[in-house]
Amino acid sequence: IEIDASNDITYNALGSLYRKLGRFKEAKENYFEALRIDNTYAVTHFNYGNLLVDMGEIEKASDEYRQAITLDPEFREAKDALKELRRV
């Protein structure tokens, strides 16, 4: 990150890494930073939604999936994830 602190993709990737490690606080911080830099990247909204599901925040996750779909109407994974949440 020290190389390019304005790179939202780096923060998104770190968020995903921390999520896989079960370090949700760090994951959330990195997703927030990625979205602060660029809130128009659908993949970050999708990944953040996945974290929120892991954290049990289903309504917020739904919002993030919907935002991802708004930004990229062809985002199949986000559509599938939202559909899955509606079954819960």
Side-chain angles (χ1 to χ4, degrees):
I1 292 178
E2 292 176 26
I3 295 170
D4 185 359
S6 65
N7 187 333
D8 63 297
I9 304 297
T10 301
Y11 286 104
N12 184 22
L14 283 170
S16 294
L17 176 65
Y18 282 125
R19 177 179 167 246
K20 286 183 184 196
L21 294 172
R23 295 171 59 179
F24 295 160
K25 180 178 183 273
E26 290 97 334
K28 191 172 187 178
E29 290 169 357
N30 279 278
Y31 288 135
F32 273 170
E33 187 61 19
L35 291 168
R36 186 192 65 75
I37 294 168
D38 181 2
N39 69 353
T40 66
Y41 187 47
V43 173
T44 303
H45 287 280
F46 173 72
N47 289 341
Y48 182 42
N50 290 336
L51 172 68
L52 292 168
V53 169
D54 292 346
M55 296 173 68
E57 298 182 33
I58 303 305
E59 276 304 311
K60 289 181 182 178
S62 295
D63 292 342
E64 292 300 321
Y65 291 148
R66 281 192 287 277
Q67 183 63 28
I69 295 164
T70 297
L71 293 167
D72 180 359
E74 302 302 315
F75 198 157
R76 173 62 42 206
E77 293 91 346
K79 290 179 179 181
D80 291 345
L82 185 58
K83 188 184 304 182
E84 186 64 31
L85 284 185
R86 289 180 179 151
R87 292 183 200 169
V88 176

